[in-house]
Amino acid sequence: MDLKQKEDSRKERIQKLKRGFAYNIFYRQGVTQKTASLNDYYLAVAHTLRDRMQHLFVNSVQALLEKDSKIVCYLSAEFLTGPHLHNNLVNLGLYEEFEQATRETGLNLKELIDLEEEPGLGNGGLGRLAACYLDSLASQQIPAIGYGIRYEYGMFDQEIADGWQKELSDCWLHPGNPWEIKKADMACDVGFGGHTEIYHGEHGNRRTRWIPARVITGVPYDTPIPGYKVNNVNVLRLWSAEAPTSFDFADFNTGDYYGAVKDKIMAETITKVLYPNDEQFQGKKLRLEQQFFFVSCSLQDMIRIHLHSNESLDDLYDDFAAQLNDTHPSVAVPELMRLLMDVHLYEWDKAWEITKKTLCYTNHTLLPEAMEKWQIELFEDLLPRHLEIIYEINNRFLDEVRIKFPGDADRLSRMSIIDESGPRYVRMANLACIGSKAINGVAAMHTDLLRRHTLADWNTMYPGKIRNVTNGVTPRRWIAVSNPRLTKLICDAIGEQWITRLDKLRDLEKLADDTSFRDAWYKVKKENKQDVANLILKKEHLQIDPEAMFDVQVKRIHEYKRQHLNVLHIITLYNRIKANPAIDVPPRLFVFGGKAAPGYFMAKRMIKLITSVAQIINNDPDIHGRIKIFFIPNYNVKIGHIVYPMTDLSEQISQAGMEASGTGNMKFSMNGALTIGTLDGANVEIREEVGAENFFLFGLNVDEVMSLQASGYSPMDYYNSNDELKQVIDLIASGHFSGGDQELFRPLVDSLLHEDKYTLFADYKDYINCQERVGQTYQDRDCWTRMSILNTARMGKFSSDRSIMDYSRKIWDVKAFPVELKWERLPKDGVLFTPPTNNKKEAQP
Ligand code: NBG
């Protein structure tokens, strides 16, 4: 094609887009262009894009049906995808054309992008990781299905009222969700409760059948997940609960209308709302119902797809690798066994072989309070057949342990699926470890701790089964979409390859010493900061100096993450300035963001502490604006898009040995922030990659924390021997930040003085000193910018593309499956469809 032809076909495509908008406004939204609201326009533009994705999706499905390829099934109770429009435009390479088409229609694409409600179907890192992995699976052309729950209400919206967190319901579906397609034909039934029966099968063998007390229907909603500039489109399939029949006619006929509707409402509560607990396990029945519900639907769906082109399930594992994202889906172990034995009539040994070869398990936490364990009575009441299967798995497994470790009763009780140390529980991590072919941790240090401590017995029992796959994040969303200025600068300097080959960022290293590149780099950061300063001024009437260092901690609020250590530093600076107004403290904006679990008392008080300290310091004339503190309400993916690009300093200050990996740490560094952090989670590997000289390290390492705690840690000793620390704590306790109220922060202060489980006091001094080095370095702009460039340049390892390739090789044994475009957009004769003969069972993934 010559240049003119190219331009003509571009013009034609733009025209088609504009027609698509008009068509969707009229036919889909049912309004005229005059009466359409902004949301109508957003939906029309989104649908126009979705239609283009459908073409690729249909091709991806057809390609898979023609030629079998292994499919990765990522089972996760959470997928925190973030808004889709911008990301899909970038991945499909259609941003510019949509930008032009909307402009020519009199619309502003950016405004429409901002309008999109994000699906908050996750708590934090774990759910966001699942979303990054979906992006990388598609971009790496690996066929995959993300299986999860279509919560009607996602993570709550956070408002800050009088300095406290207030939770509001998240009605993300309210404006309409243009990305999902309901696939009513692929619904599955899921049982709960009831009892089991023994019967004799065709050949006289003993079989069990489960007679559930109630049945709920799972209806899938599909969201296409396009890869970056490839034809592959995968799918995120989320299950929604419905009652199998809409009314109980028996009740209805006797006039009990409400009784008849009750069951329907009960059924639908299963997928009503996401549990907003972050790493704090609560043994709630509804949560187990949610888990079983989506796991059963997903396994049934995989089996349906497999049987479409296979006679039996003998080699299910050749077609599917099912990854369990933490223990939330680990009831998949007994459910797959049940489906194989009770429904598909396999004998135990073969069923067990298939199960073990299909499932893989990722552990995401070391916190004991996060480990899922269900009370036996609750489990039995809900899943009687599954408990029988679990007992049988356990009996056989414990025999194996007895043979390998004769006479080791302690080991048996530690490894048993059933916790019998008090009231009896089903331990889901043990179940997942036994029933899967591989177990993996999410960062080198985490995996090492799993091997040495949390899962040490499993490591001894099955050497080599515990593997490491360090987490990663997608550079599409976390650089290309969210930081367009940096993207342009990098592309102009080294080309575009880095977007799918993040290791190519290394080419930036040589530019770190180039003055004009450094200036350009600095300018990008400053403009990103200026945008946010304008926003804060407009929304919060807080004046921010864009030259100030933006020092940021965004993540869930949790004691182990130690947002309060950050506060101790802020108050230290405040005290220093108050004591000596001439002191040289370079201006800093401290930004916090994150949600606290609604029932987590201390975390909520930590938010109140941050906002109260902000209130006093931001308004103290003696400070002359040198320190400002801002708590961003409702931190979510959308706000993340703004936060990572603006940040100079990333706070990764958890107690060593607590953060399994962290992924925010990666997003910050990729966007040129320097990290102040402990040797925890992926910080360790980030520091290795960027170089110790480009990372601000402080604090005890995990072995030191353990030995300190073992030797009887006394926070009071640190308090008594460090004047500055004492002053800070006393100031909080005095009511200085709480209008004289000495009770408000007493629980926080007392827990630090008397327990300090996360050793803030032990790390305080080193943290303050390290922050001083940070401040000095920041004042040397050239040096800081150089370090910033080197951070970005050396982040190649932390692309989720690398993680996905690691999983593919080390665990799933899958290969890329590039899709060719063979199927037309629409049949040429203009006839849309020939009616399918039997569309019910016509399988399509
Ligand atoms: C979280 C860890 C993080 C980690 C993410 C993703 C849970 C249970 N764990 O450190 O706390 O980055 O998982 O692996 O949410």
Side-chain angles (χ1 to χ4, degrees):
M1 247 198 265
D2 65 21
L3 226 66
K4 161 121 185 31
Q5 280 171 323
K6 264 194 177 159
E7 187 47 34
D8 284 350
S9 86
R10 183 185 152 89
K11 271 192 191 145
E12 197 187 315
R13 285 198 304 274
I14 304 273
Q15 273 320 105
K16 278 191 181 157
L17 289 182
K18 292 194 323 198
R19 273 207 302 278
F21 303 157
Y23 177 94
N24 280 310
I25 280 289
F26 193 84
Y27 287 106
R28 207 184 282 263
Q29 297 309 112
V31 289
T32 68
Q33 297 191 29
K34 271 208 183 108
T35 55
S37 68
L38 211 53
N39 189 49
D40 286 325
Y41 278 112
Y42 157 72
L43 290 171
V45 168
H47 276 119
T48 308
L49 179 63
R50 197 187 77 182
D51 290 345
R52 276 145 188 81
M53 260 192 302
Q54 288 305 350
H55 178 220
L56 302 183
F57 181 60
V58 167
N59 272 277
S60 300
V61 171
Q62 292 301 329
L64 268 176
L65 287 178
E66 263 196 4
K67 196 164 158 281
D68 258 2
S69 159
K70 197 167 186 175
I71 301 176
V72 173
C73 296
Y74 200 82
L75 271 66
S76 178
E78 304 186 7
F79 284 95
L80 193 48
T81 59
H84 294 288
L85 177 57
H86 193 173
N87 196 77
N88 288 347
L89 284 168
V90 166
N91 277 14
L92 294 163
L94 290 172
Y95 188 90
E96 277 74 27
E97 290 184 6
F98 267 69
E99 207 275 323
Q100 184 175 341
T102 42
R103 189 161 20 86
E104 290 178 9
T105 314
L107 298 166
N108 177 338
L109 183 58
K110 264 187 86 83
E111 197 180 359
L112 298 179
I113 283 172
D114 286 345
L115 204 67
E116 182 174 345
E117 280 277 338
E118 77 172 74
L121 309 189
N123 272 284
L126 174 140
R128 183 51 235 174
L129 184 80
C132 282
Y133 283 179
L134 290 186
D135 181 84
S136 282
L137 281 159
S139 300
Q140 296 297 316
Q141 305 185 294
I142 293 173
I145 306 175
Y147 280 118
I149 300 174
R150 181 178 178 270
Y151 301 102
E152 194 177 327
Y153 297 92
M155 188 64 186
F156 64 84
D157 282 335
Q158 179 196 54
E159 239 181 48
I160 301 296
D162 190 26
W164 292 96
Q165 163 173 301
K166 207 173 124 191
E167 299 95 20
L168 306 171
S169 59
D170 158 56
C171 314
W172 71 285
L173 287 167
H174 187 73
N177 176 5
W179 306 107
E180 65 180 13
I181 298 180
K182 180 173 178 172
K183 297 277 172 74
D185 283 352
M186 288 173 205
C188 299
D189 283 346
V190 179
F192 290 98
H195 63 278
T196 61
E197 278 175 7
I198 305 286
Y199 70 100
H200 289 278
E202 243 177 68
H203 308 293
N205 42 359
R206 243 170 89 97
R207 300 225 154 258
T208 306
R209 121 173 101 215
W210 176 26
I211 320 286
R214 59 197 164 103
V215 172
I216 285 166
T217 301
V219 183
Y221 285 72
D222 284 359
T223 300
I225 306 290
Y228 180 76
K229 296 194 178 165
V230 290
N231 296 326
N232 296 56
V233 172
N234 286 332
V235 65
L236 170 59
R237 178 161 287 177
L238 301 179
W239 300 96
S240 180
E242 290 185 9
T245 46
S246 24
F247 287 108
D248 181 332
F249 281 100
D251 286 343
F252 200 46
N253 290 336
T254 58
D256 182 8
Y257 182 77
Y258 285 102
V261 193
K262 194 184 76 219
D263 288 348
K264 181 169 166 58
I265 294 174
M266 288 289 284
E268 288 169 3
T269 53
I270 291 198
T271 51
K272 267 284 175 243
V273 60
L274 166 75
Y275 274 96
N277 50 311
D278 176 71
E279 305 191 70
Q280 245 160 338
F281 176 67
Q282 306 156 347
K284 292 273 177 4
K285 183 169 168 216
L286 181 58
R287 173 78 171 169
L288 181 57
E289 288 177 344
Q290 291 185 334
Q291 296 183 349
F292 177 65
F293 167 75
F294 97 89
V295 163
S296 178
C297 290
S298 310
L299 292 174
Q300 290 184 53
D301 199 49
M302 285 160 56
I303 290 175
R304 178 185 60 79
I305 296 168
H306 184 81
L307 290 180
H308 179 253
S309 45
N310 294 272
E311 293 287 301
S312 79
L313 298 170
D314 290 3
D315 53 359
L316 184 71
Y317 45 82
D318 283 339
D319 273 9
F320 291 103
Q323 192 68 35
L324 309 179
N325 198 25
D326 216 298
T327 51
H328 315 149
S330 56
V331 68
V333 177
E335 173 63 353
L336 185 51
M337 286 297 284
R338 183 191 70 85
L339 289 167
L340 290 169
M341 292 192 307
D342 298 0
V343 181
H344 296 277
L345 307 181
Y346 278 88
E347 297 305 323
W348 182 279
D349 289 340
K350 182 63 189 169
W352 187 235
E353 182 205 337
I354 299 172
T355 300
K356 269 183 71 157
K357 285 186 172 171
T358 307
L359 306 177
C360 326
Y361 157 56
T362 308
N363 172 290
H364 290 267
T365 187
L366 294 159
L367 297 191
E369 66 264 34
M371 296 296 176
E372 290 194 300
K373 48 177 200 172
W374 298 101
Q375 278 183 350
I376 291 274
E377 297 74 24
L378 187 155
F379 202 98
E380 185 165 28
D381 184 41
L382 212 59
L383 303 170
R385 174 63 180 136
H386 299 77
L387 191 61
E388 286 175 9
I389 295 174
I390 287 174
Y391 282 147
E392 183 61 26
I393 295 174
N394 205 35
N395 286 339
R396 290 169 183 245
F397 170 71
L398 291 179
D399 281 346
E400 244 185 90
V401 182
R402 279 187 202 100
I403 292 168
K404 205 157 179 181
F405 305 95
D408 194 341
D410 284 351
R411 185 182 298 269
L412 279 178
S413 75
R414 288 194 308 267
M415 297 188 83
S416 169
I417 303 174
I418 310 298
D419 178 351
E420 295 183 285
S421 54
R424 301 198 316 147
Y425 290 96
V426 184
R427 295 166 169 153
M428 299 312 265
N430 294 26
L431 178 62
C433 286
I434 298 170
S436 55
K437 77 163 176 188
I439 304 166
N440 77 284
V442 291
M445 176 179 162
H446 171 231
T447 303
D448 181 54
L449 290 171
L450 287 179
R451 288 188 187 126
R452 285 198 291 135
H453 299 282
T454 321
L455 302 180
D457 289 329
W458 303 92
N459 197 40
T460 324
M461 179 88 189
Y462 303 120
K465 185 164 178 175
I466 305 179
R467 309 177 191 169
N468 178 57
V469 180
T470 298
N471 282 347
V473 302
T474 167
R476 268 75 64 186
R477 183 174 291 271
W478 296 114
I479 308 179
V481 169
S482 56
N483 200 344
R485 290 190 182 103
L486 191 70
T487 302
K488 179 164 186 330
L489 177 65
I490 300 176
C491 287
D492 288 350
I494 62 167
E496 287 183 11
Q497 257 199 331
W498 60 273
I499 298 176
T500 43
R501 289 278 318 274
L502 203 65
D503 51 322
K504 293 274 174 204
L505 285 177
R506 285 264 174 191
D507 290 351
L508 292 172
E509 273 187 24
K510 59 181 185 295
L511 295 166
D513 292 315
D514 173 328
T515 337
S516 68
F517 187 76
R518 270 209 301 248
D519 286 348
W521 191 269
Y522 176 81
K523 188 163 163 263
V524 162
K525 184 65 80 182
K526 187 158 167 209
E527 286 173 357
N528 289 341
K529 290 162 75 174
Q530 182 70 62
D531 283 353
V532 178
N534 296 344
L535 217 67
I536 298 182
L537 183 64
K538 199 167 131 200
K539 287 204 165 164
E540 310 285 329
H541 311 290
L542 189 65
Q543 186 93 38
I544 306 290
D545 171 9
E547 299 273 353
M549 181 203 304
F550 282 27
D551 174 334
V552 182
Q553 189 170 17
V554 285
K555 46 181 81 245
R556 286 299 292 264
I557 311 291
H558 206 295
E559 286 164 285
Y560 87 76
K561 296 179 187 276
R562 305 200 297 188
Q563 280 91 355
H564 42 349
L565 179 59
N566 191 340
V567 176
L568 299 187
H569 169 238
I570 297 173
I571 302 176
T572 305
L573 290 182
Y574 172 70
N575 284 343
R576 285 183 185 177
I577 299 176
K578 291 292 266 189
N580 175 9
I583 193 175
D584 184 24
V585 172
R588 276 205 212 198
L589 169 68
F590 292 91
V591 176
F592 293 85
K595 296 174 185 175
Y600 189 173
F601 174 88
M602 280 296 188
K604 290 182 119 172
R605 213 140 281 227
M606 281 160 70
I607 294 181
K608 178 66 176 165
L609 176 68
I610 296 166
T611 55
S612 305
V613 170
Q615 180 68 23
I616 297 296
I617 298 186
N618 289 350
N619 296 303
D620 188 326
D622 295 349
I623 301 302
H624 293 296
R626 278 177 288 177
I627 313 176
K628 290 254 164 92
I629 302 146
F630 180 52
F631 188 96
I632 320 173
N634 204 35
Y635 179 66
N636 58 11
V637 175
K638 256 172 117 167
I639 294 177
H641 287 182
I642 305 173
V643 165
Y644 297 110
M646 75 170 194
T647 297
D648 295 305
L649 185 69
S650 148
E651 299 269 354
Q652 305 302 333
I653 59 178
S654 50
Q655 183 193 46
M658 286 292 132
E659 192 70 86
S661 162
T663 43
N665 45 5
M666 304 169 184
K667 295 164 200 162
F668 278 117
S669 274
M670 274 184 196
N671 284 280
L674 306 191
T675 305
I676 181 164
T678 47
L679 280 181
D680 200 16
N683 293 356
V684 177
E685 288 157 87
I686 292 177
R687 180 165 171 268
E688 265 165 31
E689 292 293 306
V690 304
E693 67 287 5
N694 297 308
F695 187 105
F696 296 100
L697 178 72
F698 76 96
L700 301 177
N701 66 29
V702 62
D703 293 333
E704 289 163 345
V705 171
M706 283 183 191
S707 62
L708 180 68
Q709 284 173 333
S711 66
Y713 171 55
S714 161
M716 201 56 103
D717 293 350
Y718 291 85
Y719 167 82
N720 285 323
S721 62
N722 185 322
D723 284 347
E724 277 203 304
L725 174 61
K726 186 166 187 308
Q727 266 180 37
V728 169
I729 296 297
D730 291 352
L731 197 63
I732 300 173
S734 75
H736 183 81
F737 300 106
S738 41
D741 180 351
Q742 300 186 347
E743 295 308 310
L744 186 61
F745 299 123
R746 189 187 294 277
L748 267 176
V749 168
D750 281 354
S751 97
L752 289 177
L753 282 172
H754 304 300
E755 187 189 9
D756 192 15
K757 191 166 166 205
Y758 300 104
T759 53
L760 278 73
F761 285 10
D763 277 346
Y764 170 82
K765 190 165 162 219
D766 201 18
Y767 180 53
I768 300 295
N769 292 340
C770 188
Q771 284 285 18
E772 254 184 270
R773 290 202 302 282
V774 170
Q776 284 155 10
T777 314
Y778 187 73
Q779 282 174 305
D780 182 346
R781 189 172 119 180
D782 262 357
C783 169
W784 186 277
T785 308
R786 188 173 176 282
M787 289 166 78
S788 163
I789 297 171
L790 291 178
N791 261 264
T792 303
R794 296 171 179 175
M795 287 302 288
K797 175 172 176 185
F798 304 99
S799 165
S800 43
D801 296 341
R802 191 271 313 143
S803 311
I804 286 304
M805 294 326 282
D806 279 0
Y807 274 104
S808 301
R809 261 182 279 115
K810 294 187 192 176
I811 295 177
W812 300 329
D813 190 24
V814 282
K815 295 209 164 48
F817 180 77
V819 169
E820 287 167 45
L821 291 190
K822 289 207 275 186
W823 288 270
E824 290 294 327
R825 220 167 267 276
L826 286 177
K828 285 215 172 64
D829 59 11
V831 178
L832 281 185
F833 296 108
T834 7
T837 42
N838 168 16
N839 77 8
K840 174 84 183 147
K841 288 282 163 214
E842 199 52 32
Q844 57 150 309

